[in-house]
Amino acid sequence: MESPKQQSTSQTNYSSWNDTGPATKHSYAPPSTLSNSPSRSKRRAAEATEDYSLETDEERTHDQHEDIDDFDDEELATVHHKQRYAPLSTAFVIVQVIILPLMMWQCGVAPLEINPMIGPYPDALNYWGAKNAVLIIDDGELYRLITPIFLHAGLIHLAGNVLVQIDSGNRWEKEWGSLIWIIVYIGSAIGSSVLSVIAMPDQISVGSSGSIMGLFGAKFAEIIVLMCEKGTTVRELAAEQSRKEQACHVIFGIIIVMAMSFIPYVDWAAHLGGLVAGFAIGIVCFSFTMRNKFGTVFWLGVGVASCFVLYSTFIAIMFTTETDDEMRDVCAYYQQFFEGYECKCQLDEDWAANSNYAWLASYYNGQEGGGGADDGEG
């Protein structure tokens, strides 16, 4: 039991200090009210925030590493994903798997000496939208810069690309989000076709491997752009760890896909063009994910300049490339090299003439409007 004097001394001593130093008279509050004071709670919260802000990045990262250890390997592999599913990558695979059997059903299966990939005749690929330089440059069929990604030379070619896209393509769409994924995929498709037109104007080519190479290029760009970024949250640390593990995977994948460049109707230029285009686009996309503002500005400038130089230069060269007029009629072109080559992928004129689609047959035969479409798609 304190005496009145002792209580007075105790109160006086307490009143001489507040939370941050010597107290003034107006900051005094009786001990009985301090513990429940709302302002006291706010000051404690402020102190906790200030104390945390004094921690170094290394200390916070260490704390996060302790948290990341709470995740098992399966959770850690997906904690940095932006979305659970990969709808676009899956949709492209489904379309690609459907189109090849349709081509083979409509146009027949070529002998192995013509197409060792177990697939349709070359004129069928052209009919369905393969890259054909003369039709792109001279006839303005620019859609052929994109449509080759839906086509494949045969079952072996399709299986190889689909397996890679289901694995890497789906995973990276989950990591990046569908928007970045589709920008890289389509942008790389255009880049691959443009370089293919420049380097191999006298050949038709198909395949999604140019876009797949673009995904690998974009992943490589992500690794380079974010290599100096240090994660401070579990999600960032998981993404950082994933990039380190995937670096070797990316290099190995590039080697494998480049090795497929020598498959008939698939060209090395498309693979190289897709890889370079994907890398340039990836620099632009992933510069926005950096926390460092200077790094964002720097890499964004590098990426935009690279994309501008790459596409403007390649497209300008493409439209000055000399083309082979014989490639207008792909069927007749290949009949020169293969005895007994059959041109099966054409509209059935008798069927079309006796149906409501007679106008379509007329259009393709060049009988409507003074010539209609080019006859090279036979």
Side-chain angles (χ1 to χ4, degrees), residues 227-275:
M227 64 187 302
C228 295
E229 288 277 286
K230 195 170 186 179
T232 58
T233 66
V234 171
R235 182 173 181 174
E236 291 172 352
L237 289 167
E240 181 181 340
Q241 180 175 320
S242 175
R243 288 193 296 271
K244 291 178 180 178
E245 294 173 353
Q246 290 180 11
C248 293
H249 170 75
V250 168
I251 296 173
F252 181 73
I254 291 173
I255 295 173
I256 292 297
V257 178
M258 286 300 295
M260 297 173 64
S261 299
F262 304 100
I263 293 177
Y265 313 120
V266 182
D267 58 79
W268 61 267
H271 290 170
L272 181 60
L275 177 66

Side-chain angles (χ1 to χ4, degrees), residues 299-338:
W299 284 112
L300 179 60
V302 171
V304 170
S306 299
C307 288
F308 177 78
V309 171
L310 175 70
Y311 282 95
S312 62
T313 302
F314 279 9
I315 290 174
I317 296 174
M318 181 184 75
F319 281 107
T320 61
T321 301
E322 294 185 6
T323 58
D324 186 354
D325 257 6
E326 289 186 349
M327 292 300 295
R328 291 183 181 279
D329 190 342
V330 175
C331 181
Y333 178 81
Y334 279 93
Q335 282 179 331
Q336 302 175 73
F337 307 102
F338 299 102

Side-chain angles (χ1 to χ4, degrees), residues 107-122:
C107 307
V109 179
L112 293 181
E113 61 267 20
I114 296 176
N115 185 354
M117 291 296 103
I118 313 176
Y121 288 85

Side-chain angles (χ1 to χ4, degrees), residues 348-371:
D348 188 327
E349 297 180 11
D350 294 333
W351 167 82
N354 296 317
S355 70
N356 294 329
Y357 296 95
W359 65 271
L360 185 60
S362 176
Y363 177 79
Y364 272 93
N365 290 328
Q367 299 173 358
E368 181 176 283

